[in-house]
């Protein structure tokens, strides 16, 4: 699945008050930030210095993946980082607008933190972006600014492109977001917390089911997809939690071009997985679930199928998404 993403400066008195609060070291938890009030969210980013660090931030120039020298504001307040919201929330940063598809499909698993943040379409229409008066734009890949799009976005606000190499590695992506905001230590702290959680979960899973295998299947629009071995929730299951990769998943992943690859019901019936995580975007009554081939899938036949809805984090990736996936796997496999 391709990764796409996408109010005015508050009055001087509020800005001064916010700055005083920052100086007091009112830090948020990097991994599980609390939902902000509407007034906090309207102020844009909520990044704050470490306790005891009162040194004022200054404008910096960073070179992005496309070679652009981007002047990053001293303290960005109105950020749009389409499809990178997981990273922002992990660092306690609230964007001025959040990614969506067709005006409604948003990253539901982040809505406790982003519930009052307005949406912007995934292709980031210029007029819509400009209406939010951002002071920093962050794009997850060069494809979002192909042609002359970059120059047009850059006229709206300084525009930084992450690039595919980093974009495909969520850990490096979080580190780069941390660098952009001068929050490298907070980004590393969030990663360290995640690694501890993954290591503990891995040990629990190995003790519970040993070397048993698992796969994640997504049903949407009547079509089935299997997650790749090294991307999205596949990276969590196999890389972080040590679950065994079924041969069918290995075969499909070898030629995969995205996080999720199409799989026929006939091929799925060959899936040699002991456990099946089933992300059902179609809801109850889906036709494919009535097919005899579905009932003959080993994990389904043995009752080792665990269903999750499209509102969960299984279709996404990032510190918060992956942490929630770990919770789901533990709930399903460790009795």
């Amino acid at each position: 699945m391709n990764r796409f993403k996408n109010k005015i400066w508050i009055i001087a008195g509020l800005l001064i008050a916010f700055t005083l609060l920052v100086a007091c070291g009112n830090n948020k938890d990097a991994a599980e930030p609390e939902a902000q009030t509407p007034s906090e969210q309207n102020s844009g980013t909520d990044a704050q210095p470490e306790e005891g660090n009162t040194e004022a931030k200054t404008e910096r120039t960073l070179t992005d993946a496309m070679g652009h020298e981007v002047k990053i504001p001293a303290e960005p307040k109105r950020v749009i980082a389409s499809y990178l919201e997981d990273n922002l929330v992990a660092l306690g940063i609230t964007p001025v607008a959040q990614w969506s598809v067709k005006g409604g499909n948003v990253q539901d698993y982040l809505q406790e933190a982003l519930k009052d943040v307005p949406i912007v379409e995934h292709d980031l229409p210029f007029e819509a972006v400009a209406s939010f008066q951002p002071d920093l734009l962050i794009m997850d890949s060069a494809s979002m600014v192909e042609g002359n799009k970059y120059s047009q976005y850059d006229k709206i606000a300084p525009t930084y492109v992450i690039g595919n190499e980093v974009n495909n590695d969520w850990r490096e992506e979080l580190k780069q977001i941390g660098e952009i905001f001068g929050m490298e230590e907070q980004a590393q702290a969030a990663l360290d917390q995640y690694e501890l959680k993954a290591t503990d979960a891995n040990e629990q899973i190995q003790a519970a089911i040993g070397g048993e295998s698992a796969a994640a299947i997504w049903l949407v629009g009547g079509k089935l997809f299997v997650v790749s071995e090294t991307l999205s929730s596949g990276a969590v299951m196999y890389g972080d939690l040590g679950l065994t990769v079924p041969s069918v998943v290995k075969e499909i992943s070898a030629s995969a071009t995205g996080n999720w690859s199409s799989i026929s019901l006939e091929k799925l019936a060959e899936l040699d997985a002991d456990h099946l995580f089933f992300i059902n975007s179609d809801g109850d009554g889906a036709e494919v679930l009535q097919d005899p081939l579905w009932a003959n899938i080993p994990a389904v036949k043995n009752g080792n199928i665990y269903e999750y809805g499209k509102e969960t984090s299984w279709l996404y990736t990032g510190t918060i998404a992956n942490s929630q996936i770990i919770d789901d796997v533990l709930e399903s496999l460790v009795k």
Side-chain angles (χ1 to χ4, degrees):
M1 185 177 72
N2 290 325
R3 302 181 54 164
F4 295 109
K5 329 263 162 299
N6 201 57
K7 279 183 186 190
I8 305 171
W9 285 94
I10 55 176
I11 61 175
L14 285 177
L15 182 57
I16 292 171
F18 175 81
T19 305
L20 290 173
L21 286 173
V22 170
C24 292
N26 182 23
N27 295 316
K28 292 185 179 295
D29 179 9
E32 295 291 343
E34 298 178 356
Q36 296 175 294
T37 65
S39 62
E40 288 173 325
Q41 290 166 334
N42 289 342
S43 70
T45 52
D46 194 32
Q48 300 174 10
E50 292 183 61
E51 191 170 337
N53 180 11
T54 58
E55 183 179 349
K57 294 183 178 180
T58 59
E59 180 182 270
R60 294 166 300 126
T61 299
L62 300 179
T63 303
D64 71 2
M66 296 182 68
H68 304 122
E69 292 189 352
V70 184
K71 290 185 178 180
I72 307 297
E75 294 187 42
K77 300 294 182 184
R78 305 183 65 80
V79 179
I80 295 178
S82 183
Y83 212 67
L84 295 164
E85 288 86 357
D86 190 297
N87 300 290
L88 298 186
V89 173
L91 295 176
I93 298 169
T94 303
V96 72
Q98 63 173 312
W99 170 94
S100 72
V101 176
K102 297 180 180 178
N105 183 9
V106 297
Q107 298 159 103
D108 293 302
Y109 76 100
L110 292 174
Q111 292 314 298
E112 182 176 349
L114 302 180
K115 62 183 178 181
D116 294 320
V117 177
I119 60 175
V120 62
E121 287 295 325
H122 70 278
D123 55 349
L124 300 183
F126 300 118
E127 290 186 4
V129 170
S131 72
F132 290 105
Q133 299 186 1
D135 55 12
L136 180 62
L137 299 176
I138 307 177
M139 306 295 185
D140 73 336
S141 67
S143 63
M144 296 186 68
V145 294
E146 59 189 359
N148 66 343
K149 289 183 179 180
Y150 182 87
S151 61
Q152 296 186 64
Y153 286 126
D154 200 44
K155 290 176 182 177
I156 299 173
T159 302
Y160 187 101
V161 180
I162 295 291
N164 289 334
E165 184 175 342
V166 172
N167 181 261
N168 287 331
D169 184 333
W170 70 268
R171 289 173 171 85
E172 290 303 316
E173 185 176 76
L174 177 60
K175 289 180 181 179
Q176 192 158 120
I177 296 295
E179 180 185 9
I180 292 171
F181 289 95
M183 301 178 69
E184 293 91 340
E185 291 186 9
Q186 292 91 328
Q188 188 60 54
L191 287 173
D192 291 344
Q193 183 174 345
Y194 175 83
E195 302 300 351
L196 287 173
K197 179 172 186 172
T199 298
D200 177 67
N202 186 313
E203 293 173 355
Q204 292 186 58
I205 291 168
Q206 298 311 311
I209 65 171
E212 293 182 10
S213 63
I217 301 298
W218 178 26
L219 172 64
V220 57
K223 297 181 179 180
L224 294 162
F225 299 83
V226 61
V227 75
S228 294
E229 179 180 352
T230 60
L231 297 172
S232 190
S233 46
V236 180
M237 291 191 299
Y238 309 125
D240 297 337
L241 302 182
L243 290 165
T244 298
V245 187
S247 58
V248 169
V249 173
K250 279 187 172 295
E251 176 187 341
I252 294 176
S253 297
S255 58
T257 58
N259 293 354
W260 296 82
S261 299
S262 178
I263 184 172
S264 67
L265 188 55
E266 290 74 17
K267 190 68 174 179
L268 188 57
E270 301 174 11
L271 182 63
D272 52 333
D274 298 305
H275 303 273
L276 190 63
F277 295 95
F278 178 49
I279 299 85
N280 186 357
S281 291
D282 287 359
D284 296 335
E287 184 177 346
V288 67
L289 304 182
Q290 315 307 318
D291 195 296
L293 285 174
W294 175 265
N296 284 323
I297 297 171
V300 176
K301 186 185 300 185
N302 295 328
N304 293 332
I305 181 170
Y306 319 103
E307 184 171 339
Y308 294 93
K310 62 181 180 180
E311 73 281 356
T312 59
S313 69
W314 278 85
L315 304 176
Y316 303 95
T317 191
T319 315
I320 297 173
N322 294 353
S323 182
Q324 291 182 13
I325 291 170
I326 289 176
D327 291 337
D328 290 341
V329 174
L330 286 173
E331 176 187 54
S332 300
L333 302 183
V334 179
K335 307 301 181 183

